[in-house]
Amino acid sequence: MFNLILFGPPGSGKGTQSEKLIAKYGLKHLSTGDLLRSEIANQTPLGLEAKSFMDKGQLVPDEVVIGMISSALDNNPEAKGFLFDGFPRTSAQAQALDNLLDLKKTGIAVMLALEVTEEELVKRLLKRGETSGRSDDNNETVIKARITEYHNKTAPVADYYKNFEKVALVKGEGSIDDIFGRLCEEINARAIAVN
Ligand code: B4P
């Protein structure tokens, strides 16, 4: 199995690049943001709980997202690898992911970390907010709260993977295709098992 984490602050292009990477490498895409928005759309109890955090720009509690990822792993026994998009976002999530993958006798091959300036992040998210209907995108205060959550709780997750020399920093500014090319170079340098 080849498993990778696409990492970066809100609006760094994780969702955008994930679509292209799964098409090229045939990995199963697991986006906690997408899973949570689907729960909200279906008005499930989990979705209603998650919405109250997401609307304020806060992270959803660890046990909620870890449970979702655990079920998604169990529901895809045939996957040849997973692309984790927006997960893990806290050190507790990173530890839980390692434990879940250990049970499947696999692990993370690489964390690709997109680097984008804060000014560019805010610009991109406000622009998406004009059309996306996402309540967490159309308010600059909420966007800034998301970025603060990222610095406080999520950025340390990269240090966790740096201990295992698994982090590749990738410039996340420029054209979508150029960034995709940089990500593919990093994967191809590591991924003997990916076709
Ligand atoms: P997510 O859904 O993960 O979304 P995101 O961080 O906003 O964005 P992403 O980086 O995927 O950006 P995108 O490609 O879309 O999270 C939303 C919320 O869910 C979180 O705030 C949190 O509350 C909750 N959540 C999710 N996972 C969680 C977890 N594990 N634990 C706890 N809570 C969790 O790009 C953004 C915009 O930029 C798009 O409009 C795109 O078109 C544009 N763009 C992309 N690349 C570009 C480029 N190169 N140039 C110009 N624009 C570009």
Side-chain angles (χ1 to χ4, degrees), residues 37-76:
R37 283 185 288 277
S38 152
E39 298 280 344
I40 292 171
N42 291 323
Q43 300 191 336
T44 65
L46 189 157
L48 292 177
E49 187 194 352
K51 189 174 187 319
S52 65
F53 292 93
M54 291 166 77
D55 281 349
K56 287 184 273 192
Q58 295 170 354
L59 292 181
V60 173
D62 284 334
E63 57 275 19
V64 175
V65 276
I66 291 168
M68 277 186 346
I69 287 288
S70 176
S71 312
L73 290 176
D74 289 343
N75 291 338
N76 290 282

Side-chain angles (χ1 to χ4, degrees), residues 8-18 31-34 36-37 50 53-55 57-62 65 68-69 85-90 93 114 120-121 124-125 127-129 134 136-137 146 172-177 179:
S12 55
K14 301 183 295 288
T16 305
Q17 296 295 336
S18 290
S31 157
T32 39
D34 288 351
L36 291 166
R37 283 185 288 277
F53 292 93
M54 291 166 77
D55 281 349
Q58 295 170 354
L59 292 181
V60 173
D62 284 334
V65 276
M68 277 186 346
I69 287 288
D85 162 7
F87 181 91
R89 260 178 157 99
T90 64
Q93 292 179 21
L114 290 167
E120 172 73 10
L121 297 174
R124 285 185 192 177
L125 293 173
K127 183 157 183 278
R128 182 170 67 186
R134 273 179 60 169
D136 58 347
D137 277 348
R146 289 162 65 189
E173 294 189 36
S175 80
I176 287 170
D177 285 341
I179 298 163

Side-chain angles (χ1 to χ4, degrees), residues 39-166:
E39 298 280 344
I40 292 171
N42 291 323
Q43 300 191 336
T44 65
L46 189 157
L48 292 177
E49 187 194 352
K51 189 174 187 319
S52 65
F53 292 93
M54 291 166 77
D55 281 349
K56 287 184 273 192
Q58 295 170 354
L59 292 181
V60 173
D62 284 334
E63 57 275 19
V64 175
V65 276
I66 291 168
M68 277 186 346
I69 287 288
S70 176
S71 312
L73 290 176
D74 289 343
N75 291 338
N76 290 282
E78 305 301 327
K80 63 179 188 175
F82 292 95
L83 188 166
F84 296 96
D85 162 7
F87 181 91
R89 260 178 157 99
T90 64
S91 301
Q93 292 179 21
Q95 191 62 61
L97 179 60
D98 270 358
N99 294 342
L100 289 169
L101 293 178
D102 268 355
L103 291 174
K104 297 190 180 297
K105 307 219 176 325
T106 184
I108 294 296
V110 63
M111 167 187 270
L112 301 172
L114 290 167
E115 297 189 298
V116 179
T117 62
E118 187 161 327
E119 190 189 355
E120 172 73 10
L121 297 174
V122 174
K123 201 169 85 187
R124 285 185 192 177
L125 293 173
L126 283 173
K127 183 157 183 278
R128 182 170 67 186
E130 289 168 11
T131 52
S132 68
R134 273 179 60 169
S135 52
D136 58 347
D137 277 348
N138 54 21
N139 176 322
E140 193 159 345
T141 309
V142 174
I143 290 173
K144 291 267 169 69
R146 289 162 65 189
I147 293 172
T148 302
E149 284 276 84
Y150 171 80
H151 287 304
N152 291 342
K153 297 180 183 164
T154 305
V157 175
D159 297 330
Y160 175 83
Y161 289 96
K162 272 182 196 153
N163 291 332
F164 307 103
E165 298 185 356
K166 288 188 174 168

